[in-house]
Amino acid sequence: MNRKIIISAGHGGNDPGAVANGYTERDLAIEFRELLVKELLLLGVKPLIDDNKNALKQTLQWLKGVLKSDKTVCIDIHWNAAIPKARGTEIIIPDKPSLFESSFAKEILDVFVSNGFTSRGVKTESQTARKRLGWMRPLAENILIEMAFLTNTLDLELYKMVKYKLAKELAVVIKKSLV
């Protein structure tokens, strides 16, 4: 089975998401999505992407129109924010994840850890601060990546150092998961 892939940059338009250390979540999410899409295209994978002007509500509406299969993989890229000492990457999956979502989330997290990020684990949406996430609703294989902490200068510096390598390695993992 060949799965399709949709990659969204969390936040957009008038919604910048978290803001800290001179960065906005929206801009960093868009930057990384573009790096990841470039690497996927080099591997022959053509993902669908959301519009940078859309906030969550519009993106979820757009997804309803493009999703044709519950085996489509939907990845949403975000950045965490908290107290300055909080660090690390976490991957969010639905409360009742498929076997694919669970194993794919672990593979994604492993790429971050191998690039120096602290693991905050794979978590279900009810384990998040919000308890319920709109991204987990579409009929698809849903993954939300909290890249790292925008509020932590060490996480930001690490991201700047490894973002190209991280995108390249994630693209390989994503391509492998689509088969």
Side-chain angles (χ1 to χ4, degrees):
M1 163 197 354
N2 282 342
R3 299 173 189 268
K4 293 198 183 302
I5 179 82
I6 297 172
I7 302 177
S8 172
H11 304 282
N14 295 336
D15 179 9
V19 178
N21 292 314
Y23 293 93
T24 66
E25 180 178 11
R26 171 193 56 219
D27 294 345
L28 285 175
I30 290 169
E31 174 190 57
F32 189 72
R33 186 206 49 215
E34 296 305 312
L35 292 173
L36 182 56
V37 166
K38 179 181 174 186
E39 293 299 331
L40 285 166
L41 290 171
L42 289 171
L43 294 175
V45 176
K46 188 172 189 309
L48 289 174
I49 62 170
D50 60 334
D51 187 326
N52 296 340
K53 298 178 192 123
N54 288 349
L56 177 63
K57 184 176 181 182
Q58 291 96 357
T59 297
L60 292 175
Q61 200 60 30
W62 170 76
L63 280 174
K64 286 181 184 177
V66 298
L67 283 173
K68 306 292 184 226
S69 164
D70 64 349
K71 298 304 177 197
T72 299
V73 179
C74 291
I75 299 174
D76 197 20
I77 299 169
H78 284 265
W79 281 77
N80 250 327
I83 59 173
K85 70 178 183 178
R87 294 191 71 185
T89 302
E90 57 191 23
I91 312 300
I92 313 301
I93 55 178
D95 280 333
K96 294 180 180 173
S98 68
L99 182 57
F100 174 85
E101 287 165 323
S102 296
S103 62
F104 186 46
K106 175 77 170 89
E107 288 181 70
I108 291 171
L109 184 59
D110 288 346
V111 171
F112 278 86
V113 171
S114 72
N115 278 280
F117 290 91
T118 301
S119 172
R120 294 178 56 87
V122 173
K123 299 178 179 178
T124 62
E125 69 176 310
S126 63
Q127 293 173 310
T128 67
R130 288 189 166 72
K131 305 291 182 215
R132 190 163 162 81
L133 303 169
W135 192 257
M136 298 298 134
R137 304 287 73 80
L139 180 62
E141 303 280 10
N142 300 305
I143 304 286
L144 188 148
I145 301 172
E146 290 284 3
M147 300 272 300
F149 280 83
L150 187 62
T151 46
N152 184 287
T153 56
L154 294 173
D155 271 1
L156 285 169
E157 288 304 314
L158 177 58
Y159 169 73
K160 287 190 268 184
M161 286 183 346
V162 302
K163 63 185 176 182
Y164 299 103
K165 183 176 182 273
L166 186 63
K168 184 181 284 281
E169 291 176 11
L170 278 176
V172 170
V173 167
I174 291 169
K175 181 180 180 178
K176 184 181 77 158
S177 76
L178 298 177
V179 181

